Structure formats: C-alpha cells, structure tokens
Amino acid sequence: MADVTQRVLALLAALQTGRAFTGEELAARLHVSPRTLRRDVDRLRGYGYPVETQPGPGGYYRLSAGSTMPPLLLEDDEAIAALLGLATLASIGSASEGSLDDAATRAYGKVDQYLPKRLRARAAALRASLETTQTLAPSISAGTLSALADAIHHQHLVTFDYAGATRPTTARKVEPHRQIHQHLRWYLLAWDTRKRDWRVFRTDRITNLRNTGRAFSPRPLPADTGIQYLREGLNKHQHRVVLTVDAPMTAVADALKYQDVELEPIAPHRTRAVLRSDSWQWLLLNLAFLDVDFTIHEPAAFRTASRRFGVRLQQA
C-alpha cells in the first residue's frame, strides 16, 4: 500500500507542474506500466483531482482546473519557497484588514500549520533565523487586485474614485488593460473614457471600485508593455544614462539596487548598464562605492560634469 501511495503522490507532483504529459512519458517517469498508470490516474480522480485525458495520437494527461480545491502537494523546496514568499509579501505594507500583506500573513500561518512532519523542524529553524524588515509601502486591497484582474480578463469597464497626489478626488470610468508592480507600488494602466487618453493610476489611491459589466473592445497598448509605458512616465524628466563598469554584473547590480536599471555582462568583470537619472552627482556617489574604473557613454553632459569634478578632486 505504501508503494501505491508513494507512486500516486509522485504522479500528482508531476501533474501539478502544469504541463501535459503523454502516457509514455508518465509511465517511464514513474517506472510503471500503462495499465498501472491508468489505475493511478483513476485514483487521483477519486480523490478529487480533475485529471484531463486526451486519448489517441497526440494524447496527453493534464491536471485541469476543478470546481473545488483539492489538497495541494508541494515538494520540500516548493513549500519552503512558498513560506519565504509569503513572509516577504507580509512584510510590505501596514497589515491593515483586507490588505494583500494581511492575507499573506494569514496564508503563512495556514501553510506552516499543515507542513509534513519532516519539514516542520526545518521550517521552525527557518522562522527562528529569519528577520524581515517592515518595508514602508502602501497596503493594497487583495479584493481590489482581484476585481481589476477580473475586469481586465472579461474586458469590462470599471468606475472608481481616484485620489491624486496633489489634486482632489475625482470619479473615473476606464477600460482596464494591465496591472503593474514596480518599486513596491501597484499601478493600473487603463484608457480613461472621459480624458480619451491612456492613464496610469496608483492602485492604493483607488476606492469605490465597481465593475459595470459593460464590455469594451481592447486597444493596442501605448507601448510594447505596460511596464515600458510606466517607465516612460516615471522617467519623463530624467536622462538616459549608458555606462560601462569594470566590475561583475552582480557587483554593479548591488551598487545600483534601488534603481530601475538594465544590466548586460560583456565580459566576466565588465558590465554595461542602462538607467535613467536626473543627477550626475548621484551616479558618481553610487559608482564610488565600487572602487573600479567606468566609462560614461551618454549623456555628454554627465561625462563633462564628471570630468570637471575629477579635476576638483585632484586639486583637493
């Protein structure tokens, strides 16, 4: 019986990866005959797991979505990763009731409670050794994120009240297209039907959200991706900076960790960096901690200002 249980759990672990397997693949993976595989699939269905089967040439086995949520099987490393992910998410925000960070805190307790015995000691050691700083960021309603996701999926107009940073609250009606997570903030990219233009809204400033149920026709995004459009807006008044740094990419990433930067290794100890900045002083301050040579390719104004500063340092 133990062998059957172990075999069925191994089958479930394979199917929960989300991919489709041919019968031959699964039988070879589990070291069983096609007949035994079919019996084990029937067992999983009896336990409530909706295993979808496509017979014949090109056939497959796949775990499909069901009407109920059966027990979820996680590998040991997946369970630890889930706990760490929830702990990290729980540390971002104020843990107000109904917020995403509050939900992560509650979910952490549930996952931790049902860990198998072999993992409890490891999880307890991890919990005792882990300290996570509380990051000051706006709490986001899990319900708001879910409602916007549903409206985007079904292409439904939504209305809400929006509190601007320096402007009074206004009523909005928009066609929602993308939710974006950038710099510990959640944003909504949408077409504002009254402004007749694209707008980006901070999700934490949205209240009284309502799905109208009225469908809209999707529009081409104003950029290749929602993130690109958001970056263009955030970086509107900044300069594009391109530089080469004589350091490994991991070291450069650490020095520029608070910036939206694209890094490319061009040699084991040489990295190309592209970022946006409005201050050459800030750029030099961060690069100074690397204590390596670097070349500023653009903008020319940054390069000139840095050379002049170098002369002043020599004179000092």
Side-chain angles (χ1 to χ4, degrees):
M1 184 63 181
D3 292 339
V4 174
T5 302
Q6 184 176 3
R7 194 176 64 235
V8 172
L9 289 175
L11 172 60
L12 179 58
L15 292 174
Q16 283 188 334
T17 61
R19 58 163 292 199
F21 293 88
T22 66
E24 291 79 6
E25 283 181 298
L26 280 178
R29 183 171 182 150
L30 301 173
H31 306 290
V32 297
S33 67
R35 182 180 178 184
T36 299
L37 174 64
R38 288 192 294 270
R39 286 203 304 264
D40 289 346
V41 168
D42 288 338
R43 288 189 177 96
L44 282 182
R45 288 173 175 152
Y47 298 149
Y49 292 92
V51 182
E52 180 182 340
T53 305
Q54 177 66 45
Y60 59 81
Y61 290 95
R62 182 174 61 193
L63 196 63
S64 61
S67 58
T68 59
M69 183 177 177
L72 179 66
L73 176 67
L74 295 176
E75 302 287 352
D76 290 6
D77 55 348
E78 293 171 345
I80 296 299
L83 287 173
L84 286 175
L86 290 170
T88 302
L89 186 58
S91 69
I92 301 174
S94 59
S96 57
E97 185 177 355
S99 66
L100 196 62
D101 41 308
D102 175 56
T105 301
R106 289 184 280 107
Y108 182 98
K110 292 179 180 179
V111 173
D112 183 53
Q113 181 181 0
Y114 290 104
L115 285 176
K117 290 183 179 179
R118 68 177 185 280
L119 276 183
R120 286 176 186 167
R122 188 189 305 179
L126 178 67
R127 187 168 54 250
S129 66
L130 181 66
E131 290 188 10
T132 307
T133 57
Q134 188 71 23
T135 305
L136 296 178
S139 286
I140 301 298
S141 165
T144 298
L145 291 177
S146 298
L148 287 173
D150 184 68
I152 292 171
H153 176 72
H154 292 99
Q155 297 171 4
H156 284 172
L157 284 160
V158 298
T159 62
F160 53 80
D161 294 331
Y162 189 70
T166 58
R167 299 176 182 177
T169 300
T170 56
R172 302 296 184 107
K173 179 188 289 184
V174 305
E175 301 171 358
H177 281 75
R178 292 287 190 279
Q179 296 194 82
I180 305 166
H181 188 247
Q182 180 84 348
H183 299 323
L184 300 182
R185 302 290 188 272
W186 286 92
Y187 300 89
L188 170 68
L189 172 62
W191 175 267
D192 192 312
T193 60
R194 292 169 184 166
K195 303 287 186 180
R196 300 195 62 80
D197 198 4
W198 290 99
R199 291 290 188 270
V200 175
F201 302 95
R202 279 263 301 266
T203 309
D204 59 289
R205 296 175 181 166
I206 291 176
T207 56
N208 300 323
L209 176 67
R210 186 175 71 88
N211 187 329
T212 67
R214 292 174 51 196
F216 64 87
S217 299
R219 303 171 185 269
L221 293 180
D224 290 339
T225 64
I227 290 178
Q228 180 182 338
Y229 184 77
L230 175 63
R231 285 173 173 170
E232 290 173 357
L234 295 175
N235 299 330
K236 186 181 299 182
H237 302 294
Q238 296 183 325
H239 299 277
R240 181 176 184 266
V241 181
V242 180
L243 61 150
T244 303
V245 185
D246 292 344
M249 189 171 71
T250 52
V252 179
D254 186 57
L256 305 176
K257 57 181 173 291
Y258 296 116
Q259 300 304 311
D260 186 10
V261 57
E262 297 178 7
L263 300 176
E264 177 187 357
I266 53 180
H269 296 281
R270 206 154 186 257
T271 304
R272 181 178 186 269
V274 180
L275 63 149
R276 309 287 299 196
S277 177
D278 56 3
S279 166
W280 63 268
Q281 294 94 334
W282 169 90
L283 182 65
L284 292 186
L285 177 63
N286 284 267
L287 293 175
F289 287 100
L290 283 173
D291 195 24
V292 297
D293 293 335
F294 59 88
T295 302
I296 300 176
H297 301 289
E298 59 177 272
F302 275 28
R303 189 167 59 246
T304 301
S306 299
R307 285 173 177 166
R308 290 174 179 169
F309 183 63
V311 172
R312 294 202 299 273
L313 284 178
Q314 288 179 332
Q315 292 174 345

